[in-house]
Amino acid sequence: MPNLNNWIKLKRNKSLTIIFSITAVSVIISCVNLLKPSQVKPDIEDLLIGNIAEEEDSAKSENNEENSPKDNETNAANKMKRVQQNGSQSSEHSAGGKKYQELYPDLYCIRPQKQVNPDKTIFLTFDDGPSDRTLEVLDILREKGVKATFFVTGNCPAKGKSIMKKIVDEGHTIGVHTYTHDFKRIYASVNAFLDDFNKIYNLIYEATGVRPTIFRFPGGSKNGFNKGNYRELIQEMTRRGFDYFDWNLSAGDAVSRTPTPVSRCISNVLNASKTCAHGVVLMHDARPKVTTVEALPAIIDGLAKQGFSFDKLSNNINPAVYSLVKPYR
């Protein structure tokens, strides 16, 4: 009998040992599982903090665009560099199941490998023509011996094509602005922008025999109508080889529906140009812009007195220093 009791005790001890071992293992596993979230959490928090910091840096960069002209040039150049680095990446956005990169396979141009930043040079630019005002502007430019750049639209009179050809024949640059100038329609999507761009691009080629390589976004590259997709628009147009030019000087002739006084157009340009090493001047040659034409001779003379020379824009000019700057001072 003692042997039987000993055997029973031995069996019971073994059973307790097994149960204890199983319980211990279960507790250990539970502890390990409980510890895992706390080990992963810091990495997630770091990632979130990194994203927040990146957004704050981006916001700071955009705020800095309203600082000095030199700071504007640095910030804009950095942004253009990022756009060009991303330009080769394939976009997954599409409309109607078709990627916009596949649209208009002939709508491309070749960008020079090296672009220059001319010092002490002014580029006079005119948007929203052609019109009768364009002919007046051309007369003044011819008299002053100055070349300029015209970003044209499709909203032109019957003689619009002949005016476009005159722009080119007189040695000026012609660039794309917009066909419809309907901001809501143009900026509705990348597809919509490409549709409009292709129309005016082909109209210019038909009228002049020139295939434009530069353009200006209606309202500037960042405005209230494209704030949701301007980065995507810039990336796609840059990928296609086109360069866009904003401005760092403006006559302020489009800030209201009533014509800007001649004296104001002149002072808007000449006061701001005193702090610029070089500049792109925004003006308009749509039919109502009578005071712009009247102010033009004084603007040219004043800039010349400040030591500037004049030239026309092309894709040989580095557009980065004029991009994404505050539209009006």
Side-chain angles (χ1 to χ4, degrees):
M1 184 64 73
N3 291 335
L4 180 59
N5 289 335
N6 290 337
W7 183 83
I8 292 173
K9 288 180 180 180
L10 181 62
K11 287 291 186 180
R12 185 170 61 191
N13 290 338
K14 287 183 177 180
S15 297
L16 290 173
T17 300
I18 292 171
I19 292 172
F20 177 80
S21 299
I22 293 173
T23 302
V25 171
S26 299
V27 170
I28 292 171
I29 292 173
S30 298
C31 290
V32 170
N33 289 332
L34 288 173
L35 286 173
K36 283 183 178 180
S38 63
Q39 292 171 345
V40 174
K41 188 174 181 180
D43 293 336
I44 295 176
E45 290 178 346
D46 290 343
L47 181 60
L48 291 174
I49 291 172
N51 288 339
I52 292 172
E54 183 178 353
E55 291 178 1
E56 289 177 348
D57 288 342
S58 177
K60 289 178 182 177
S61 178
E62 292 188 3
N63 289 335
N64 285 339
E65 291 167 11
E66 300 185 7
N67 293 333
S68 68
K70 186 175 181 180
D71 291 337
N72 285 339
E73 293 180 4
T74 301
N75 293 331
N78 289 337
K79 287 191 175 185
M80 177 62 78
K81 184 177 180 181
R82 290 198 297 270
V83 168
Q84 290 177 341
Q85 288 173 342
N86 293 332
S88 60
Q89 296 177 359
S90 175
S91 172
E92 296 300 325
H93 295 274
S94 61
K98 187 173 184 180
K99 293 181 180 178
Y100 56 66
Q101 288 187 336
E102 299 173 5
L103 296 174
Y104 307 113
D106 295 328
L107 195 61
Y108 286 81
C109 66
I110 299 175
R111 179 185 295 108
Q113 292 184 351
K114 185 177 181 180
Q115 295 174 309
V116 299
N117 295 318
D119 191 32
K120 210 60 179 176
T121 302
I122 288 290
F123 301 94
L124 301 177
T125 68
F126 299 88
D127 290 7
D128 298 355
S131 74
D132 291 336
R133 301 288 82 76
T134 308
L135 296 174
E136 296 169 356
V137 169
L138 289 172
D139 289 341
I140 295 170
L141 295 175
R142 190 185 316 109
E143 179 184 344
K144 296 290 185 180
V146 170
K147 301 303 180 185
T149 304
F150 294 81
F151 293 104
V152 300
T153 72
N155 294 333
C156 55
K159 59 181 179 181
K161 286 185 180 181
S162 64
I163 298 176
M164 290 183 188
K165 189 173 188 307
K166 189 175 182 64
I167 289 171
V168 172
D169 289 345
E170 296 199 5
H172 305 286
T173 294
I174 191 166
V176 168
H177 190 40
T178 169
Y179 188 85
T180 63
H181 215 263
D182 184 337
F183 284 39
K184 288 184 178 180
R185 181 188 301 179
I186 294 167
Y187 292 126
S189 66
V190 179
N191 292 66
F193 186 86
L194 288 172
D195 289 343
D196 186 276
F197 191 99
N198 187 62
K199 287 180 181 178
I200 184 62
Y201 176 91
N202 285 316
L203 178 62
I204 292 171
Y205 178 65
E206 180 182 341
T208 68
V210 172
R211 297 187 184 276
T213 60
I214 65 173
F215 72 102
R216 173 167 286 157
F217 284 103
S221 58
K222 184 180 180 183
N223 59 70
F225 292 88
N226 70 2
K227 58 185 178 181
N229 61 2
Y230 75 93
R231 290 187 178 89
E232 193 176 1
L233 289 168
I234 290 172
Q235 178 175 316
E236 176 60 11
M237 298 311 294
T238 302
R239 185 189 71 82
R240 289 174 178 261
F242 293 97
D243 284 324
Y244 70 93
F245 285 88
D246 283 328
W247 55 90
N248 59 342
L249 296 169
S250 173
D253 58 353
V255 295
S256 66
R257 293 185 178 180
T258 58
T260 303
V262 173
S263 60
R264 180 65 61 84
C265 290
I266 297 170
S267 62
N268 281 343
V269 175
L270 298 185
N271 288 341
S273 61
K274 294 175 182 177
T275 60
C276 293
H278 39 72
V280 171
V281 183
L282 171 66
M283 292 178 282
H284 295 79
D285 59 331
R287 189 172 183 179
K289 305 303 179 182
V290 176
T291 58
T292 304
V293 176
E294 293 174 353
L296 182 57
I299 290 174
I300 293 174
D301 292 343
L303 290 169
K305 287 181 180 179
Q306 291 179 3
F308 289 102
S309 59
F310 297 90
D311 202 353
K312 58 185 180 180
L313 290 172
S314 71
N315 61 356
N316 290 309
I317 308 298
N318 180 12
V321 294
Y322 310 110
S323 62
L324 294 175
V325 296
K326 189 176 180 180
Y328 299 103
R329 294 172 182 266

